[in-house]
């Protein structure tokens, strides 16, 4: 049966598993060592002011990125806890936390997600700047050329970093799950029967991936930085930090635009840089990984339907 295209569904690879975000619930599936699947099912909590911000151009990108970091941290923790438990690091199941404990855990996850995002963004923003400043500051005065070289250095560091960590077994498996997640989304959007064999026929590259967003932040950053003149490395550093939200906001809008025109032959090339980067951030998954991804996706779809039906019943009852 043909499936409708539903852009609101998205996924994210986690350690030895996959998380899918639906319209009403987020579901992570992780395979245990005994081949059974463990699920983390988290209903989406709609905060009115957050939903409002997510509709505002240039601001919604920052909100979406922070939300993704927080959500990803929580589901990564679940995946890690499953494997810690199987390694004997969690000998006794902890008691159900009370309200204050739950609140503290949620705040902790939020803090870790936000801090992790800020730390990584600062590192990949400032390190290329300092490298360029150290190597080329006395060679010429054209600050736009300095910005271009900074962008090239940033791309080089990013590609090198992704290549090196992709050689390590844990990250390689994470990238394989990332590929499985993309294949499942593409299969769903393509009206597939959603069997393992059918899903494996699809590409591991997808236009809507966060990897594309990373590339756009570099390109957009070079353009935006060129509008601001600096006279010292201190001023340059402050500019980079202050402009981070602007670069993120504009890059998100560029990503949305390239995704909206991906079916137009003369414009689909705009998304190619992100697809090229995905050759590093995704790997071809094996069948067991696709099975986990399918299980997560199918469970998310099932819960979405159930919660939607409950909402309809409640609206009639009221």
């Amino acid at each position: 049966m043909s499936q409708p295209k539903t852009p609101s569904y998205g996924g994210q690879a986690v350690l030895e598993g996959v998380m899918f975000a639906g319209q009403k619930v987020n579901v992570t599936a992780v395979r245990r060592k005994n081949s059974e699947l463990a699920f983390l099912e988290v209903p989406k909590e709609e905060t009115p002011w957050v939903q409002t911000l997510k509709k505002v151009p240039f601001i919604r990108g920052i909100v979406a990125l922070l939300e993704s970091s927080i959500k990803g941290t929580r589901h990564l923790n679940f995946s890690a806890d499953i494997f810690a438990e199987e390694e004997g690091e969690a000998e006794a199941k902890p008691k159900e936390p009370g309200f204050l404990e739950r609140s503290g855990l949620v705040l902790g996850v939020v803090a870790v997600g936000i801090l992790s995002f800020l730390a990584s963004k600062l590192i990949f923003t400032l390190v290329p700047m300092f490298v360029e400043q150290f190597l080329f500051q006395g060679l010429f005065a054209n600050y736009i050329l300095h910005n271009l070289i900074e962008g090239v250095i940033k791309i080089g560091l990013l590609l090198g970093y992704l290549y090196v960590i992709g050689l390590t077994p844990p990250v390689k498996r994470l990238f394989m799950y990332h590929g499985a997640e993309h294949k499942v989304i593409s299969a769903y959007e393509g009206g597939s029967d959603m069997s393992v064999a059918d899903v494996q026929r699809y590409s591991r590259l997808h236009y809507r991936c966060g990897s594309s967003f990373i590339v756009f932040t570099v390109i957009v950053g070079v353009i935006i930085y060129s509008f601001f003149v600096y006279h010292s490395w201190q001023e340059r550093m402050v500019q980079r930090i202050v402009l981070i939200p602007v670069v993120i906001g504009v890059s998100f809008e560029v990503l949305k635009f390239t995704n909206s025109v991906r079916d137009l032959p003369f414009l689909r090339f705009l998304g190619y840089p992100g697809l090229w980067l995905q050759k590093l951030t995704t790997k071809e998954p094996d069948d067991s990984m696709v099975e986990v991804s399918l299980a997560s996706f199918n469970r998310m779809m099932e819960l979405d339907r159930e919660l939607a039906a409950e909402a309809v019943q409640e609206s009639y009852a009221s």
Side-chain angles (χ1 to χ4, degrees):
M1 179 180 296
S2 178
Q3 301 275 16
K5 292 186 178 180
T6 313
S8 58
Y9 291 124
Q12 186 170 340
V14 299
L15 293 173
E16 298 296 338
V18 175
M19 183 275 291
F20 277 99
Q23 294 175 331
K24 296 183 178 295
V25 65
N26 300 327
V27 175
T28 295
V30 177
R31 190 184 294 280
R32 295 181 180 272
K33 289 185 177 179
N34 62 5
S35 295
E36 293 181 356
L37 293 176
F39 292 91
L40 173 64
E41 302 162 359
V42 183
K44 285 188 172 180
E45 298 179 357
E46 303 293 343
T47 305
W49 66 270
V50 173
Q51 297 306 309
T52 300
L53 290 178
K54 289 171 71 172
K55 297 177 182 178
V56 181
F58 303 107
I59 294 179
R60 58 189 173 188
I62 301 172
V63 176
L65 204 58
L66 289 173
E67 190 176 56
S68 178
S69 298
I70 295 166
K71 179 175 61 181
T73 300
R74 181 172 185 178
H75 289 261
L76 277 169
N77 287 343
F78 167 73
S79 177
D81 287 345
I82 291 294
F83 280 84
E85 179 182 331
E86 294 195 338
E87 293 295 330
E89 295 178 18
E91 299 178 358
K93 185 176 181 180
K95 65 178 182 178
E96 187 70 19
F99 172 76
L100 291 178
E101 291 172 295
R102 287 198 303 271
S103 300
L105 288 172
V106 171
L107 290 175
V109 170
V110 170
V112 169
I114 293 176
L115 290 175
S116 299
F117 161 73
L118 291 176
S120 61
K121 188 59 185 171
L122 281 173
I123 290 172
F124 276 98
T125 296
L126 296 182
V127 169
M129 186 214 79
F130 282 121
V131 172
E132 197 283 333
Q133 184 80 16
F134 177 76
L135 295 177
F136 299 99
Q137 62 175 330
L139 298 182
F140 47 85
N142 189 320
Y143 71 95
I144 294 180
L145 185 55
H146 280 291
N147 291 338
L148 289 173
I149 295 175
E150 179 185 337
V152 172
I153 293 173
K154 186 177 295 186
I155 286 289
L157 289 175
L158 176 64
L159 295 179
Y161 170 75
L162 290 174
Y163 176 76
V164 170
I165 66 171
L167 297 177
T168 64
V171 176
K172 183 178 180 180
R173 287 187 63 83
L174 178 67
F175 287 171
M176 291 171 75
Y177 274 108
H178 191 189
E181 167 242 315
H182 281 183
K183 283 174 176 278
V184 168
I185 293 177
S186 295
Y188 174 76
E189 292 176 338
S192 163
D193 291 333
M194 304 301 284
S195 66
V196 172
D198 199 23
V199 169
Q200 284 282 36
R201 293 191 299 105
Y202 285 82
S203 171
R204 73 177 197 266
L205 312 181
H206 197 281
Y207 266 81
R208 217 164 48 244
C209 176
S211 301
S212 302
F213 177 77
I214 295 173
V215 173
F216 288 135
T217 60
V218 177
I219 299 173
V220 170
V222 170
I223 297 173
I224 291 178
Y225 297 154
S226 298
F227 287 96
F228 297 87
V229 180
Y230 53 83
H231 301 93
S232 66
W233 70 265
Q234 294 94 335
E235 187 176 348
R236 186 180 185 182
M237 180 181 68
V238 171
Q239 283 183 4
R240 297 298 184 266
I241 295 174
V242 171
L243 290 172
I244 284 177
V246 179
V247 172
I248 291 173
V250 175
S251 300
F252 187 80
E253 300 304 319
V254 173
L255 177 63
K256 287 180 67 68
F257 173 75
T258 58
N259 184 57
S260 67
V261 300
R262 61 178 176 169
D263 294 326
L264 301 178
F266 56 94
L267 287 178
R268 63 182 294 114
F269 74 90
L270 293 174
Y272 286 176
L275 296 178
W276 294 334
L277 185 62
Q278 288 176 48
K279 291 183 178 294
L280 287 176
T281 62
T282 66
K283 305 289 184 183
E284 284 294 332
D286 58 35
D287 287 352
S288 67
M289 294 174 175
V290 173
E291 287 175 357
V292 173
S293 188
L294 273 172
S296 176
F297 183 83
N298 290 334
R299 182 57 179 159
M300 177 271 294
M301 294 290 287
E302 178 186 354
L303 291 175
D304 257 4
R305 287 191 293 267
E306 291 178 359
L307 292 172
E310 290 176 4
V312 170
Q313 291 177 353
E314 290 177 359
S315 66
Y316 280 132
S318 60

PDB file of all heavy atoms in Angstrom, residues 266-285:
ATOM      1  N   PHE A 266      16.413  21.408 -11.774  1.00  0.00           N
ATOM      2  CA  PHE A 266      17.386  22.488 -11.925  1.00  0.00           C
ATOM      3  C   PHE A 266      17.754  23.143 -10.594  1.00  0.00           C
ATOM      4  O   PHE A 266      18.572  24.068 -10.565  1.00  0.00           O
ATOM      5  CB  PHE A 266      16.855  23.549 -12.899  1.00  0.00           C
ATOM      6  CG  PHE A 266      15.520  24.131 -12.510  1.00  0.00           C
ATOM      7  CD1 PHE A 266      15.441  25.298 -11.771  1.00  0.00           C
ATOM      8  CD2 PHE A 266      14.344  23.487 -12.885  1.00  0.00           C
ATOM      9  CE1 PHE A 266      14.209  25.820 -11.412  1.00  0.00           C
ATOM     10  CE2 PHE A 266      13.108  24.010 -12.523  1.00  0.00           C
ATOM     11  CZ  PHE A 266      13.034  25.183 -11.795  1.00  0.00           C
ATOM     12  N   LEU A 267      17.154  22.678  -9.477  1.00  0.00           N
ATOM     13  CA  LEU A 267      17.481  23.247  -8.163  1.00  0.00           C
ATOM     14  C   LEU A 267      17.925  22.192  -7.140  1.00  0.00           C
ATOM     15  O   LEU A 267      18.433  22.552  -6.087  1.00  0.00           O
ATOM     16  CB  LEU A 267      16.272  24.015  -7.602  1.00  0.00           C
ATOM     17  CG  LEU A 267      15.949  25.359  -8.253  1.00  0.00           C
ATOM     18  CD1 LEU A 267      14.703  25.977  -7.614  1.00  0.00           C
ATOM     19  CD2 LEU A 267      17.114  26.333  -8.132  1.00  0.00           C
ATOM     20  N   ARG A 268      17.742  20.929  -7.451  1.00  0.00           N
ATOM     21  CA  ARG A 268      18.076  19.898  -6.473  1.00  0.00           C
ATOM     22  C   ARG A 268      19.572  19.870  -6.145  1.00  0.00           C
ATOM     23  O   ARG A 268      19.981  19.349  -5.108  1.00  0.00           O
ATOM     24  CB  ARG A 268      17.596  18.528  -6.934  1.00  0.00           C
ATOM     25  CG  ARG A 268      18.206  18.001  -8.201  1.00  0.00           C
ATOM     26  CD  ARG A 268      17.606  16.633  -8.576  1.00  0.00           C
ATOM     27  NE  ARG A 268      17.951  15.614  -7.602  1.00  0.00           N
ATOM     28  CZ  ARG A 268      17.075  15.012  -6.815  1.00  0.00           C
ATOM     29  NH1 ARG A 268      15.805  15.350  -6.858  1.00  0.00           N
ATOM     30  NH2 ARG A 268      17.462  14.082  -5.978  1.00  0.00           N
ATOM     31  N   PHE A 269      20.406  20.454  -7.037  1.00  0.00           N
ATOM     32  CA  PHE A 269      21.853  20.488  -6.791  1.00  0.00           C
ATOM     33  C   PHE A 269      22.205  21.298  -5.550  1.00  0.00           C
ATOM     34  O   PHE A 269      23.297  21.153  -4.991  1.00  0.00           O
ATOM     35  CB  PHE A 269      22.587  21.060  -8.006  1.00  0.00           C
ATOM     36  CG  PHE A 269      22.433  22.540  -8.172  1.00  0.00           C
ATOM     37  CD1 PHE A 269      23.335  23.426  -7.590  1.00  0.00           C
ATOM     38  CD2 PHE A 269      21.361  23.066  -8.890  1.00  0.00           C
ATOM     39  CE1 PHE A 269      23.191  24.796  -7.748  1.00  0.00           C
ATOM     40  CE2 PHE A 269      21.210  24.431  -9.041  1.00  0.00           C
ATOM     41  CZ  PHE A 269      22.120  25.298  -8.475  1.00  0.00           C
ATOM     42  N   LEU A 270      21.278  22.174  -5.094  1.00  0.00           N
ATOM     43  CA  LEU A 270      21.558  22.986  -3.910  1.00  0.00           C
ATOM     44  C   LEU A 270      21.753  22.124  -2.664  1.00  0.00           C
ATOM     45  O   LEU A 270      22.417  22.550  -1.709  1.00  0.00           O
ATOM     46  CB  LEU A 270      20.398  23.975  -3.677  1.00  0.00           C
ATOM     47  CG  LEU A 270      20.220  25.071  -4.738  1.00  0.00           C
ATOM     48  CD1 LEU A 270      18.956  25.875  -4.455  1.00  0.00           C
ATOM     49  CD2 LEU A 270      21.436  25.986  -4.768  1.00  0.00           C
ATOM     50  N   GLY A 271      21.176  20.950  -2.654  1.00  0.00           N
ATOM     51  CA  GLY A 271      21.311  20.059  -1.502  1.00  0.00           C
ATOM     52  C   GLY A 271      22.467  19.096  -1.610  1.00  0.00           C
ATOM     53  O   GLY A 271      22.714  18.314  -0.671  1.00  0.00           O
ATOM     54  N   TYR A 272      23.214  19.138  -2.703  1.00  0.00           N
ATOM     55  CA  TYR A 272      24.292  18.173  -2.898  1.00  0.00           C
ATOM     56  C   TYR A 272      25.405  18.250  -1.849  1.00  0.00           C
ATOM     57  O   TYR A 272      25.931  17.211  -1.437  1.00  0.00           O
ATOM     58  CB  TYR A 272      24.885  18.336  -4.302  1.00  0.00           C
ATOM     59  CG  TYR A 272      24.013  17.805  -5.419  1.00  0.00           C
ATOM     60  CD1 TYR A 272      24.372  17.961  -6.750  1.00  0.00           C
ATOM     61  CD2 TYR A 272      22.818  17.156  -5.144  1.00  0.00           C
ATOM     62  CE1 TYR A 272      23.573  17.484  -7.784  1.00  0.00           C
ATOM     63  CE2 TYR A 272      22.009  16.680  -6.157  1.00  0.00           C
ATOM     64  CZ  TYR A 272      22.375  16.849  -7.471  1.00  0.00           C
ATOM     65  OH  TYR A 272      21.586  16.366  -8.480  1.00  0.00           O
ATOM     66  N   PRO A 273      25.832  19.459  -1.409  1.00  0.00           N
ATOM     67  CA  PRO A 273      26.899  19.491  -0.383  1.00  0.00           C
ATOM     68  C   PRO A 273      26.556  18.678   0.864  1.00  0.00           C
ATOM     69  O   PRO A 273      27.413  17.981   1.419  1.00  0.00           O
ATOM     70  CB  PRO A 273      27.021  20.990  -0.071  1.00  0.00           C
ATOM     71  CG  PRO A 273      26.598  21.668  -1.325  1.00  0.00           C
ATOM     72  CD  PRO A 273      25.476  20.813  -1.863  1.00  0.00           C
ATOM     73  N   GLY A 274      25.290  18.770   1.313  1.00  0.00           N
ATOM     74  CA  GLY A 274      24.882  17.995   2.478  1.00  0.00           C
ATOM     75  C   GLY A 274      24.883  16.510   2.199  1.00  0.00           C
ATOM     76  O   GLY A 274      25.268  15.694   3.062  1.00  0.00           O
ATOM     77  N   LEU A 275      24.465  16.113   0.994  1.00  0.00           N
ATOM     78  CA  LEU A 275      24.468  14.699   0.623  1.00  0.00           C
ATOM     79  C   LEU A 275      25.893  14.163   0.556  1.00  0.00           C
ATOM     80  O   LEU A 275      26.170  13.025   0.962  1.00  0.00           O
ATOM     81  CB  LEU A 275      23.773  14.498  -0.719  1.00  0.00           C
ATOM     82  CG  LEU A 275      22.275  14.839  -0.764  1.00  0.00           C
ATOM     83  CD1 LEU A 275      21.733  14.646  -2.186  1.00  0.00           C
ATOM     84  CD2 LEU A 275      21.486  13.971   0.212  1.00  0.00           C
ATOM     85  N   TRP A 276      26.819  14.989   0.051  1.00  0.00           N
ATOM     86  CA  TRP A 276      28.217  14.554  -0.007  1.00  0.00           C
ATOM     87  C   TRP A 276      28.773  14.320   1.399  1.00  0.00           C
ATOM     88  O   TRP A 276      29.499  13.347   1.634  1.00  0.00           O
ATOM     89  CB  TRP A 276      29.053  15.591  -0.747  1.00  0.00           C
ATOM     90  CG  TRP A 276      28.690  15.735  -2.202  1.00  0.00           C
ATOM     91  CD1 TRP A 276      28.124  14.778  -3.005  1.00  0.00           C
ATOM     92  CD2 TRP A 276      28.847  16.896  -3.012  1.00  0.00           C
ATOM     93  NE1 TRP A 276      27.921  15.276  -4.271  1.00  0.00           N
ATOM     94  CE2 TRP A 276      28.355  16.577  -4.316  1.00  0.00           C
ATOM     95  CE3 TRP A 276      29.342  18.185  -2.800  1.00  0.00           C
ATOM     96  CZ2 TRP A 276      28.364  17.492  -5.370  1.00  0.00           C
ATOM     97  CZ3 TRP A 276      29.347  19.093  -3.836  1.00  0.00           C
ATOM     98  CH2 TRP A 276      28.869  18.745  -5.111  1.00  0.00           C
ATOM     99  N   LEU A 277      28.436  15.210   2.333  1.00  0.00           N
ATOM    100  CA  LEU A 277      28.927  15.044   3.698  1.00  0.00           C
ATOM    101  C   LEU A 277      28.363  13.774   4.332  1.00  0.00           C
ATOM    102  O   LEU A 277      29.025  13.130   5.159  1.00  0.00           O
ATOM    103  CB  LEU A 277      28.561  16.266   4.550  1.00  0.00           C
ATOM    104  CG  LEU A 277      29.131  16.276   5.969  1.00  0.00           C
ATOM    105  CD1 LEU A 277      30.668  16.281   5.933  1.00  0.00           C
ATOM    106  CD2 LEU A 277      28.630  17.485   6.756  1.00  0.00           C
ATOM    107  N   GLN A 278      27.151  13.399   3.954  1.00  0.00           N
ATOM    108  CA  GLN A 278      26.542  12.191   4.512  1.00  0.00           C
ATOM    109  C   GLN A 278      27.290  10.922   4.119  1.00  0.00           C
ATOM    110  O   GLN A 278      27.094   9.873   4.730  1.00  0.00           O
ATOM    111  CB  GLN A 278      25.083  12.092   4.077  1.00  0.00           C
ATOM    112  CG  GLN A 278      24.172  13.089   4.762  1.00  0.00           C
ATOM    113  CD  GLN A 278      22.759  13.014   4.220  1.00  0.00           C
ATOM    114  OE1 GLN A 278      22.175  11.942   4.095  1.00  0.00           O
ATOM    115  NE2 GLN A 278      22.179  14.167   3.902  1.00  0.00           N
ATOM    116  N   LYS A 279      28.146  11.006   3.114  1.00  0.00           N
ATOM    117  CA  LYS A 279      28.971   9.854   2.771  1.00  0.00           C
ATOM    118  C   LYS A 279      29.953   9.545   3.902  1.00  0.00           C
ATOM    119  O   LYS A 279      30.470   8.421   4.002  1.00  0.00           O
ATOM    120  CB  LYS A 279      29.718  10.105   1.456  1.00  0.00           C
ATOM    121  CG  LYS A 279      28.797  10.137   0.232  1.00  0.00           C
ATOM    122  CD  LYS A 279      29.569  10.323  -1.050  1.00  0.00           C
ATOM    123  CE  LYS A 279      28.647  10.305  -2.263  1.00  0.00           C
ATOM    124  NZ  LYS A 279      28.013   8.983  -2.467  1.00  0.00           N
ATOM    125  N   LEU A 280      30.199  10.553   4.760  1.00  0.00           N
ATOM    126  CA  LEU A 280      31.041  10.335   5.938  1.00  0.00           C
ATOM    127  C   LEU A 280      30.214  10.032   7.184  1.00  0.00           C
ATOM    128  O   LEU A 280      30.641   9.261   8.037  1.00  0.00           O
ATOM    129  CB  LEU A 280      31.913  11.576   6.205  1.00  0.00           C
ATOM    130  CG  LEU A 280      33.086  11.835   5.258  1.00  0.00           C
ATOM    131  CD1 LEU A 280      33.773  13.143   5.620  1.00  0.00           C
ATOM    132  CD2 LEU A 280      34.076  10.687   5.280  1.00  0.00           C
ATOM    133  N   THR A 281      29.032  10.656   7.301  1.00  0.00           N
ATOM    134  CA  THR A 281      28.242  10.513   8.532  1.00  0.00           C
ATOM    135  C   THR A 281      27.267   9.345   8.489  1.00  0.00           C
ATOM    136  O   THR A 281      26.568   9.091   9.475  1.00  0.00           O
ATOM    137  CB  THR A 281      27.454  11.803   8.819  1.00  0.00           C
ATOM    138  OG1 THR A 281      26.531  12.048   7.752  1.00  0.00           O
ATOM    139  CG2 THR A 281      28.386  12.991   8.960  1.00  0.00           C
ATOM    140  N   THR A 282      27.189   8.649   7.361  1.00  0.00           N
ATOM    141  CA  THR A 282      26.374   7.438   7.279  1.00  0.00           C
ATOM    142  C   THR A 282      27.203   6.310   6.675  1.00  0.00           C
ATOM    143  O   THR A 282      28.139   6.553   5.909  1.00  0.00           O
ATOM    144  CB  THR A 282      25.116   7.632   6.413  1.00  0.00           C
ATOM    145  OG1 THR A 282      25.508   7.867   5.051  1.00  0.00           O
ATOM    146  CG2 THR A 282      24.271   8.802   6.900  1.00  0.00           C
ATOM    147  N   LYS A 283      26.866   5.089   7.046  1.00  0.00           N
ATOM    148  CA  LYS A 283      27.462   3.890   6.458  1.00  0.00           C
ATOM    149  C   LYS A 283      26.335   2.939   6.069  1.00  0.00           C
ATOM    150  O   LYS A 283      25.223   3.026   6.595  1.00  0.00           O
ATOM    151  CB  LYS A 283      28.399   3.191   7.462  1.00  0.00           C
ATOM    152  CG  LYS A 283      29.498   4.060   8.040  1.00  0.00           C
ATOM    153  CD  LYS A 283      30.574   4.392   7.027  1.00  0.00           C
ATOM    154  CE  LYS A 283      31.722   5.184   7.664  1.00  0.00           C
ATOM    155  NZ  LYS A 283      32.740   5.586   6.673  1.00  0.00           N
ATOM    156  N   GLU A 284      26.636   2.020   5.154  1.00  0.00           N
ATOM    157  CA  GLU A 284      25.632   1.038   4.764  1.00  0.00           C
ATOM    158  C   GLU A 284      25.334   0.103   5.940  1.00  0.00           C
ATOM    159  O   GLU A 284      26.237  -0.509   6.489  1.00  0.00           O
ATOM    160  CB  GLU A 284      26.113   0.223   3.572  1.00  0.00           C
ATOM    161  CG  GLU A 284      26.050   0.968   2.245  1.00  0.00           C
ATOM    162  CD  GLU A 284      24.616   1.277   1.822  1.00  0.00           C
ATOM    163  OE1 GLU A 284      23.701   0.522   2.208  1.00  0.00           O
ATOM    164  OE2 GLU A 284      24.431   2.278   1.102  1.00  0.00           O
ATOM    165  N   PRO A 285      24.064   0.001   6.364  1.00  0.00           N
ATOM    166  CA  PRO A 285      23.714  -0.843   7.516  1.00  0.00           C
ATOM    167  C   PRO A 285      23.531  -2.300   7.106  1.00  0.00           C
ATOM    168  O   PRO A 285      23.270  -2.611   5.939  1.00  0.00           O
ATOM    169  CB  PRO A 285      22.373  -0.249   7.957  1.00  0.00           C
ATOM    170  CG  PRO A 285      21.754   0.228   6.670  1.00  0.00           C
ATOM    171  CD  PRO A 285      22.902   0.730   5.818  1.00  0.00           C
TER     172      PRO A 285
END
